[in-house]
Amino acid sequence: MLQEFAQAHDVKMVVLSIGANDLNFGFIIGKCVTSYLLPSAVGSFCKDDAYVQNWVGSNTTQVVRANITQGIINIATAMQNAGYEDDEWTLGLQYYVNVLAEPSAMRYAEAGYNRQLKGGCGFRDEDAAWFGDKLIPLFNQTLSAAAADAQAERPALRVVTLDSQDSFAGRTLCHSSADRMG
């Protein structure tokens, strides 16, 4: 579809958001919320769960990195097939945003269920810190490494990163300084 669109239009930039589903982001978030809602049944923090660790471990991230690299190459090939040289357009690679407040800035205490019921951010403190300090940076490092790999294969390929990782700072879910509706 990109190739057909690029043949009929003057494309200057293609923006790409990729990879989180390949790292099972939705499952990880679900595991963290479950760990918050049922801490005694789960027994540990989601960040320590073996299944979660498998998804964020080096074997999985290397596979995802290779897949993202191939996705970038596929986009470059589609653009080339549409008549563009690699230096005639730019790939904008969108980083993932940290949408969750740090534990010290949470509007709601870890105890009880208000974090989830009122704020929609049911993470235990350790998991919230891990999310912002480790998980989101890991996703973004994987994207950055994949872009570097694609550029090594196609040196004229122009890639810029849209680093929005901290764009919600002070306005994240459950942040004590963020205004609430209603």
Side-chain angles (χ1 to χ4, degrees), residues 87-110:
D87 62 356
E88 294 178 327
W89 63 282
T90 302
L91 177 75
L93 188 60
Q94 184 175 341
Y95 281 0
Y96 287 91
V97 177
N98 183 9
V99 297
L100 190 61
E102 287 290 319
S104 62
M106 284 278 185
R107 177 185 306 272
Y108 308 101
E110 180 178 26

Side-chain angles (χ1 to χ4, degrees), residues 131-146:
F131 179 88
D133 296 341
K134 303 285 187 219
L135 186 63
I136 296 300
L138 173 70
F139 285 6
N140 293 337
Q141 291 161 5
T142 302
L143 290 170
S144 179

Side-chain angles (χ1 to χ4, degrees), residues 17-168:
S17 176
I18 190 171
N21 290 337
D22 296 330
L23 289 167
N24 215 354
F25 184 70
F27 169 82
I28 293 170
I29 297 304
K31 190 72 168 171
C32 288
V33 172
T34 300
S35 178
Y36 170 77
L37 293 173
L38 305 170
S40 60
V42 175
S44 68
F45 297 99
C46 75
K47 70 179 184 64
D48 298 327
D49 181 83
Y51 193 73
V52 168
Q53 284 302 310
N54 179 61
W55 280 104
V56 298
S58 63
N59 290 339
T60 303
T61 56
Q62 289 302 315
V63 169
V64 171
R65 174 180 170 173
N67 291 342
I68 294 170
T69 300
Q70 188 57 55
I72 293 169
I73 296 299
N74 290 348
I75 290 170
T77 300
M79 292 297 288
Q80 182 179 25
N81 291 343
Y84 293 78
E85 296 296 324
D86 284 349
D87 62 356
E88 294 178 327
W89 63 282
T90 302
L91 177 75
L93 188 60
Q94 184 175 341
Y95 281 0
Y96 287 91
V97 177
N98 183 9
V99 297
L100 190 61
E102 287 290 319
S104 62
M106 284 278 185
R107 177 185 306 272
Y108 308 101
E110 180 178 26
Y113 296 103
N114 282 340
R115 261 193 199 172
Q116 181 61 25
L117 296 176
K118 288 185 177 183
C121 55
F123 276 66
R124 293 161 74 189
D125 285 347
E126 281 193 39
D127 288 334
W130 171 78
F131 179 88
D133 296 341
K134 303 285 187 219
L135 186 63
I136 296 300
L138 173 70
F139 285 6
N140 293 337
Q141 291 161 5
T142 302
L143 290 170
S144 179
D149 293 345
Q151 286 179 300
E153 190 171 325
R154 295 181 76 142
L157 184 62
R158 293 189 305 199
V159 178
V160 297
T161 54
L162 305 172
D163 187 355
S164 55
Q165 179 172 308
D166 295 322
S167 62
F168 289 171

